[in-house]
Amino acid sequence: MTERQATSTTNVFERARKTFVLQVVGLGLLLVGTAGVAADEKSPLAFVLEVIAVVGLVLLVVSAAHLTALTSQQKKENQMQELEAEKTRRTRITSELSEMLLRADNVVATLANLVDHADEHPEFALLTSLLKNAGIESWGEDAPKASARKLGYSGSWYLVPADDEIGSVTFQKLMQIELSLNLCSILDDREQKTTESLAAAKAALDCVHLTSPQDSEMRASVTDILLAPELGEAGGEWRCRMSFADFIEAVKTPFRLSVKFQSSVAAHTLCAQICVPSPSCFAPLEPSNGVEREKLARGYALRSALLVARGAFESSTSIERVCVNCHDELRNDIILSLDVTKETLTPLFAALNGTSCADELPQSASVRIAPQDKAWGTAVIPFMRSSDPALNDPERRQWPEEQDAVCSEELEEATGAHNISELGINDPREVAWHKLSKSLGSSTAEAVSTLIDLQHQTDDALVKNACERTVKALVDGTIESASKDDVAPVFLTGEPLDKIVEATRRNLGSNSPSEELAQQSTDQLVRALEQVYDSGIYQDTDEEVHRFFNSANERIVYNLCEKDDDRRVVLVPDTYYVANLTAANALCAFDRYDDALPYADELCRLSPYGEDAALNKAAVLIGLSRTFDAEDLIKRTIDNAINARQLSRCFAELAYVEWKLGRGMTAVACYERALQVCAVERPLFERSYAELRATDPTLSELTEEQATAEFEEKHIPFGNPEAIRDRLIKALAACVDSQCFLTAGGIGKALMLGLASDPLQDVVASLEVQQDANA
């Protein structure tokens, strides 16, 4: 019995006791009064006795009224307790089913076994009925193997096949199971008994377009971060995309809702592409009637498209037009296309009011779908595609180096860049090739002419050399054709240093012919780098600094941390950075740590916030037995970490350093922190952690308080993944609003290393060039 039920029961007993007392007192007074009057009507006390009798009668009437009210109240209390008991029972059943599915090694086999025991579990009557209709009992060896996930955002069931590649039939079977599970979950959310008939399950399909987003704890926590009031412009691109993705991921629908989209608040338009279930997926509701299944598929496709359109309009007041294109899992053909404004959406919703999925679709100029007498999957011409020029301003996917525009105030604050070009990470050769490849032409003569023009226009020595050698290769026939695939390697990697680096890396590999050859390649690389050093072409001056950035995120951190340095940033060729990295690693492989240190120092100068540079130098310092110096370096890198993965790697490397320093428990604390902040390299770090503990049986896991105390005692920074996350989100929102999609895509991927979010993943995917479904 719950506390509320116990309190209610106590109150009922107390009211019943008081009513009983009233009845006894009232009856007693009535008897005393009537008896006294009957004995001596002329007695002076007769009037008093009559009053006593009346009072007794009144008390009896009042007690009777109390008794009636008490009975009614008790009936209501009993009904409430029954409802609460039913809700508790249903919650327990739902919880048991959820835990069973989540713990199943093969959820399909587990559900098939449940169907075999259906008579013993009437509480799952609807689920087992749906699964029987799907034919799960007869699948046998053809039954797919899969695990189950319950999406934290919407609470929908999602099956993950054991095999990466599955056929359409297997996919349809998984969709049939998802449909069965999600229909039962939806009815349970509505507090409908899941033992009801299939009619209730079918009815759940009819109002898919009216589905509201779930208010889950996960959604609330992610929304607070990604849609914080200070992020993005009101009515801007970031808030539009993020709000739409939030809506899509939060609605619980019978089938999974897979959406790709593109939007432009400047054009006031959003175009989405969704995968809708084919007729076979509806077998749990219509096991044998193929015509009826096709009707359900058509009706469900329209309702899904309307749901997506509604979500787009609700996500941003800037969106005035929404196009939704539907295809199924069997083909990439567009089978339904919807084009609506807020005004034209309303009549479609009204037309579906009171209808079922199996009913004929309403006629509308906003909907294109093949007539019902045509086969399912008949393609239609879409109103608009995601690749439509109206949604894809070329500026969005320009390289930052190609843009001269000044950053907005928000973008400058978030990225530290004054001009958009200061978000660039590509060296001059790569930028030149990116432009050149668009106008190379189709013949050798056209390619040669284009290259000569570029050679005369550029001031960059490396670009001039690239043009000269590529022209020579085209003219003397070294390159077989003028295709981009043939020309690119010569243009981008044809410098002598490129070839030396490639040879050194090859000879250092596991298939190296001999150690002597590897030594020779290393020495050749060292001599080549010495020539570059002596030339001074990449050395910093009072006017400019030479840097290398592995990512847009690293460039932004540099901009923000070095904003007081007014010198111009010049990006060195990738080959120069890789050459130094290769030289340091090669020399360490031959225990030549003293020789390796200058190259490790050069890496840190070129990439002051890069994890590879810092950890490479830490390895060199350890080789030199300068372990305390290595510890200090990694601590500084933790303080300046640019993403969750770097933070995790630094703690894992620091664990090894602490172990070298004889601090076993500190090493344990470092490994536990590494596992806590990022899951990307979890398997590797878990193995290293296990190996550490195997070396010393006295080492044990630490509580968070113990780990914190260990860090404080050894003056180890705890790292701040939340600050890293917030900086990345701010930069991402600003880049999206400023149409810097290439930079935003890189930032988004860095953010996902420390923030698992399906809506965020949807938004990052929307920043990339998308492949449209066929017409």
Side-chain angles (χ1 to χ4, degrees):
M1 181 182 293
T2 65
E3 183 178 347
R4 191 164 71 87
Q5 288 173 330
T7 302
S8 176
T9 301
T10 301
N11 291 338
V12 169
F13 284 147
E14 181 63 22
R15 289 198 298 271
R17 186 185 65 79
K18 291 179 178 179
T19 301
F20 177 71
V21 170
L22 280 176
Q23 286 179 323
V24 171
V25 172
L27 182 59
L29 291 175
L30 180 61
L31 290 176
V32 170
T34 52
V37 171
D40 188 356
E41 295 181 357
K42 298 180 179 181
S43 170
L45 296 176
F47 176 74
V48 175
L49 293 172
E50 286 179 0
V51 172
I52 291 173
V54 170
V55 171
L57 182 60
V58 170
L59 289 176
L60 282 174
V61 171
V62 171
S63 65
H66 278 199
L67 184 60
T68 301
L70 181 62
T71 303
S72 176
Q73 181 66 26
Q74 182 61 48
K75 187 176 180 180
K76 291 180 180 179
E77 291 285 349
N78 290 341
Q79 290 174 341
M80 290 179 61
Q81 288 180 14
E82 288 175 5
L83 288 173
E84 191 167 331
E86 172 60 23
K87 186 176 181 179
T88 301
R89 185 188 73 85
R90 191 167 56 246
T91 300
R92 177 180 57 78
I93 291 171
T94 301
S95 176
E96 289 177 359
L97 177 64
S98 295
E99 293 303 318
M100 178 182 74
L101 297 175
L102 294 172
R103 295 171 185 175
D105 296 323
N106 181 358
V107 70
V108 180
T110 298
L111 288 171
N113 191 241
L114 174 63
V115 171
D116 291 339
H117 294 265
D119 293 340
E120 303 165 27
H121 297 281
E123 67 272 23
F124 300 128
L126 178 58
L127 175 60
T128 53
S129 177
L130 291 168
L131 293 172
K132 284 180 180 179
N133 287 348
I136 194 171
E137 296 168 297
S138 61
W139 289 350
E141 294 182 357
D142 294 330
K145 294 181 179 179
S147 57
R149 286 177 54 203
K150 195 167 189 179
L151 303 181
Y153 228 71
S154 65
S156 298
W157 285 105
Y158 186 95
L159 300 190
V160 182
D163 299 324
D164 293 334
E165 298 291 334
I166 60 172
S168 59
V169 174
T170 298
F171 182 82
Q172 288 169 353
K173 289 177 178 177
L174 294 178
M175 291 304 96
Q176 290 168 9
I177 294 177
E178 280 188 17
L179 172 64
S180 303
L181 293 171
N182 285 327
L183 282 175
C184 291
S185 179
I186 289 169
L187 293 179
D188 188 64
D189 289 345
R190 298 175 184 173
E191 298 188 357
Q192 291 182 241
K193 294 181 180 179
T194 53
T195 53
E196 291 184 8
S197 67
L198 292 178
K202 279 188 179 181
L205 299 181
D206 303 338
C207 51
V208 165
H209 55 301
L210 302 174
T211 306
S212 297
Q214 300 284 305
D215 293 323
S216 64
E217 290 184 12
M218 177 181 287
R219 183 191 180 202
S221 63
V222 173
T223 302
D224 287 346
I225 296 170
L226 295 174
L227 283 170
E230 67 274 12
L231 285 176
E233 302 170 9
E237 198 70 51
W238 166 256
R239 300 196 73 82
C240 170
R241 290 174 184 245
M242 195 64 237
S243 297
F244 177 66
D246 172 74
F247 178 94
I248 293 299
E249 294 294 345
V251 289
K252 180 189 285 190
T253 52
F255 290 99
R256 62 176 67 178
L257 188 59
S258 177
V259 180
K260 297 179 180 179
F261 72 96
Q262 192 56 259
S263 67
S264 171
V265 296
H268 306 292
T269 303
L270 184 145
C271 184
Q273 179 175 305
I274 67 174
C275 181
V276 294
S278 63
S280 296
C281 298
F282 291 85
L285 296 172
E286 284 292 344
S288 57
N289 191 333
V291 174
E292 198 68 15
R293 284 204 299 263
E294 190 165 315
K295 290 180 180 178
L296 289 174
R298 290 167 60 88
Y300 189 86
L302 177 59
R303 285 164 171 80
S304 296
L306 291 173
L307 172 65
V308 171
R310 194 190 105 221
F313 288 127
E314 291 182 6
S315 299
S316 175
T317 55
S318 299
I319 298 300
E320 298 173 359
R321 179 191 179 193
V322 177
C323 295
V324 184
N325 297 322
C326 304
H327 67 92
D328 68 13
E329 76 282 356
L330 297 174
R331 56 189 68 79
N332 217 27
D333 296 327
I334 296 173
I335 56 180
L336 183 147
S337 188
L338 176 75
D339 185 1
V340 288
T341 62
K342 290 180 181 179
E343 290 72 23
T344 57
L345 183 68
T346 303
L348 282 168
F349 271 75
L352 291 179
N353 187 32
T355 66
S356 75
C357 260
D359 291 340
E360 188 173 344
L361 300 186
Q363 297 297 311
S364 172
S366 299
V367 181
R368 289 178 183 169
I369 186 171
Q372 194 161 308
D373 58 356
K374 297 287 187 180
W376 167 264
T378 301
V380 298
I381 298 174
F383 290 101
M384 171 183 273
R385 294 179 176 278
S386 297
S387 57
D388 192 285
L391 299 174
N392 294 273
D393 187 330
E395 176 187 335
R396 288 182 163 187
R397 293 184 174 84
Q398 275 187 308
W399 283 22
E401 297 87 347
E402 299 175 320
Q403 302 185 54
D404 298 323
V406 176
C407 293
S408 66
E409 184 178 338
E410 292 77 14
L411 185 61
E412 181 172 354
E413 181 183 342
T415 66
H418 302 292
N419 301 308
I420 290 179
S421 59
E422 293 173 12
L423 296 173
I425 62 173
N426 300 290
D427 74 60
R429 270 190 307 182
E430 292 173 312
V431 177
W433 173 252
H434 181 67
K435 295 179 181 177
L436 181 68
S437 62
K438 300 174 185 177
S439 57
L440 196 60
S442 56
S443 68
T444 299
E446 289 176 318
V448 168
S449 175
T450 304
L451 285 162
I452 291 175
D453 288 344
L454 176 60
Q455 184 178 0
H456 291 153
Q457 294 167 6
T458 185
D459 295 326
D460 188 273
L462 281 175
V463 175
K464 283 183 179 293
N465 291 342
C467 290
E468 183 178 347
R469 67 171 170 270
T470 307
V471 167
K472 183 177 183 302
L474 284 167
V475 171
D476 64 21
T478 305
I479 301 177
E480 294 182 1
S481 72
S483 70
K484 296 176 186 178
D485 291 342
D486 289 336
V487 175
V490 178
F491 187 91
L492 292 172
T493 59
E495 292 289 323
L497 187 59
D498 292 315
K499 297 176 181 179
I500 295 171
V501 169
E502 182 183 355
T504 305
R505 291 164 70 91
R506 183 175 60 250
N507 291 330
L508 282 170
S510 57
N511 297 323
S512 175
S514 68
E515 183 175 328
E516 182 181 357
L517 187 58
Q519 287 268 23
Q520 292 174 356
S521 295
T522 301
D523 291 338
Q524 185 182 15
L525 176 58
V526 167
R527 287 194 297 272
L529 282 172
E530 286 175 350
Q531 292 177 5
V532 176
Y533 292 161
D534 291 342
S535 71
I537 58 173
Y538 299 131
Q539 294 308 305
D540 296 343
T541 67
D542 292 339
E543 290 77 31
E544 60 185 29
V545 293
H546 292 78
R547 297 291 179 262
F548 173 86
F549 303 108
N550 268 302
S551 66
N553 179 32
E554 187 178 335
R555 176 70 195 256
I556 289 170
V557 170
Y558 180 89
N559 290 345
L560 292 170
C561 294
E562 306 294 334
K563 59 185 177 182
D564 294 332
D565 190 339
D566 294 330
R567 290 178 294 177
R568 185 170 69 95
V569 175
V570 179
L571 301 181
V572 301
D574 291 2
T575 303
Y576 181 63
Y577 176 86
V578 174
N580 280 278
L581 184 62
T582 303
N585 289 335
L587 292 167
C588 286
F590 297 119
D591 296 332
R592 295 166 59 184
Y593 297 104
D594 282 316
D595 294 334
L597 186 57
Y599 302 103
D601 286 335
E602 179 69 350
L603 288 171
C604 289
R605 181 185 71 87
L606 295 172
S607 178
Y609 297 96
E611 61 186 291
D612 290 337
L615 296 181
N616 178 278
K617 183 174 179 179
V620 174
L621 293 173
I622 292 170
L624 291 170
S625 296
R626 292 171 55 183
T627 313
F628 288 102
D629 290 339
E631 182 191 34
D632 290 341
L633 174 60
I634 297 177
K635 285 179 180 179
R636 290 195 300 274
T637 307
I638 289 173
D639 277 331
N640 296 320
I642 66 173
N643 61 49
R645 179 178 177 270
Q646 177 178 345
L647 194 59
S648 181
R649 281 189 66 192
C650 286
F651 277 114
E653 292 297 327
L654 186 59
Y656 174 69
V657 171
E658 297 301 324
W659 177 79
K660 290 279 288 184
L661 292 172
R663 305 166 181 169
M665 292 309 295
T666 309
V668 167
C670 289
Y671 269 127
E672 290 180 354
R673 185 62 175 155
L675 294 169
Q676 185 182 37
V677 297
C678 182
V680 174
E681 298 191 49
R682 181 181 293 274
L684 173 62
F685 295 161
E686 284 179 338
R687 286 196 299 273
S688 300
Y689 184 24
E691 290 170 2
L692 168 69
R693 292 178 59 184
T695 64
D696 186 350
T698 65
L699 298 179
S700 59
E701 292 185 12
L702 300 176
T703 64
E704 186 174 338
E705 293 76 13
Q706 290 173 326
T708 302
E710 195 71 29
F711 278 13
E712 289 176 351
E713 182 181 343
K714 301 300 188 299
H715 304 290
I716 296 173
F718 207 59
N720 195 338
E722 290 78 18
I724 294 172
R725 179 200 66 199
D726 292 345
R727 175 186 56 75
L728 285 166
I729 294 172
K730 185 177 180 180
L732 175 58
C735 285
V736 172
D737 279 343
S738 298
Q739 311 294 306
C740 300
F741 280 14
L742 291 180
T743 301
I747 297 170
K749 290 172 182 175
L751 176 59
M752 288 192 292
L753 293 171
L755 179 62
S757 165
D758 289 335
L760 174 61
Q761 189 172 344
D762 293 341
V763 171
V764 173
S766 77
L767 302 175
E768 299 174 353
V769 178
Q770 297 175 11
Q771 296 297 318
D772 285 309
N774 302 322

